[in-house]
Amino acid sequence: MGEFNEKATCGTVCLKYLLFTYNCCFWLAGLAVMAVGIWTLALKSDYISLLASGTYLATAYILVVAGAVVMVTGVLGCCATFKERRNLLRLYFILLLLIFLLEIIAGVLAYAYYQQLNTELKENLKDTMTKRYHQPGHEGVTNAVDQLQQEFHCCGSNNSQDWRDSEWIRSGEAGGRVVPDSCCKTVVPGCGQRDHASNIYKVEGGCITKLETFIQEHLRVIGAVGVGIACVQVFGMIFTCCLYRSLKLEHY
């Protein structure tokens, strides 16, 4: 019996240090997850106003929330491990399971939106650009379109001819422009009055393909981070169950 208790104690100590090491890595992973979510919201949020669906935004928010919970859970896991409190281990396991579900949801949403992105952009991007650009209450769209055309060297959704349907161009408020100034290779006030290929991004193609590629790359990152962290958490739940069982045996 004494030999059994000695082996159990040795196994418990090993599990404690293994779980502690895991929690340190888990805390850093949570920081990385939250950073990816914040990066998506802060640096790439300009283009979100061009998307009809809120799925892209939702996946970023899920990552921020999951990352914050992961960091708190990592600290809780360290406390539960060294204090050998089974009630804390139970709470830790529940939080791990909750985060696991959040990460899987983020990964699934990213994958699902990845599949439907092309259809959504084809159906909505041109209308968004032509009907909301330079319209009252849609300053976010205006800034996003200008940044999109300059950053990706494109003009219009499919091509520069799309701007002929623009409510802003037709209204006469454009000051004789046939395309926005952001279509110009060198932006100066009024440069959009001339739509020659030497002046605007006319032969480089429309923005729809470039925006789709850009968002798909970020969805791949979001999906990979979500599913990757979720897989790592499986090991954490296994370690927690083993330590809980070991402490229970020692207790008896």
Side-chain angles (χ1 to χ4, degrees), residues 8-247:
T9 302
C10 181
T12 301
V13 171
C14 290
L15 282 170
K16 281 172 61 176
Y17 282 102
L18 187 60
L19 192 57
F20 177 78
T21 304
Y22 168 83
N23 277 306
C24 291
C25 297
F26 192 51
W27 189 90
L28 292 174
L31 184 63
V33 169
M34 189 164 64
V36 169
I38 293 174
W39 169 69
T40 301
L41 293 173
L43 299 181
K44 310 301 175 185
S45 59
D46 290 336
Y47 299 138
I48 292 175
S49 60
L50 300 178
L51 304 176
S53 170
T55 308
Y56 183 65
L57 187 61
T59 55
Y61 275 121
I62 289 174
L63 285 184
V64 172
V65 172
V69 176
V70 163
M71 295 175 71
V72 173
T73 303
V75 175
L76 176 63
C78 291
C79 295
T81 300
F82 279 100
K83 289 188 176 182
E84 298 185 2
R85 299 283 296 275
R86 286 185 294 160
N87 57 340
L88 285 179
L89 283 173
R90 281 195 295 267
L91 178 60
Y92 175 67
F93 181 86
I94 291 171
L95 286 174
L96 279 180
L97 185 60
L98 175 63
I99 299 164
F100 176 81
L101 294 174
L102 282 175
E103 299 289 3
I104 290 295
I105 289 171
V108 169
L109 283 177
Y111 177 78
Y113 191 53
Y114 184 95
Q115 300 299 316
Q116 72 179 46
L117 181 62
N118 179 267
T119 302
E120 178 185 312
L121 289 177
K122 284 182 178 178
E123 291 177 351
N124 299 293
L125 185 60
K126 181 180 177 180
D127 283 346
T128 299
M129 294 176 76
T130 57
K131 294 180 180 179
R132 297 183 184 179
Y133 185 80
H134 261 300
Q135 298 303 306
H138 294 293
E139 290 77 11
V141 171
T142 301
N143 293 332
V145 170
D146 286 339
Q147 183 177 336
L148 175 68
Q149 295 189 141
Q150 277 295 295
E151 184 173 347
F152 294 110
H153 297 172
C154 56
C155 185
S157 176
N158 300 295
N159 51 60
S160 61
Q161 302 300 313
D162 290 342
W163 286 110
R164 292 180 177 181
D165 300 324
S166 169
E167 294 184 5
W168 175 64
I169 296 292
R170 288 179 170 182
S171 68
E173 296 178 3
R177 294 176 178 84
V178 289
V179 295
D181 290 344
S182 57
C183 281
C184 299
K185 296 178 179 179
T186 302
V187 178
V188 294
C191 65
Q193 295 175 352
R194 181 170 168 266
D195 63 351
H196 191 270
S198 62
N199 183 51
I200 68 168
Y201 297 114
K202 192 168 187 176
V203 297
E204 288 79 1
C207 298
I208 187 168
T209 303
K210 297 179 180 181
L211 180 60
E212 180 184 3
T213 302
F214 171 83
I215 294 176
Q216 283 180 338
E217 288 174 354
H218 287 81
L219 287 173
R220 280 196 290 269
V221 172
I222 292 173
V225 168
V227 175
I229 297 299
C231 292
V232 171
Q233 287 174 235
V234 173
F235 293 101
M237 288 188 279
I238 292 172
F239 294 153
T240 304
C241 290
C242 291
L243 181 58
Y244 183 86
R245 183 174 180 275
S246 180
L247 291 174

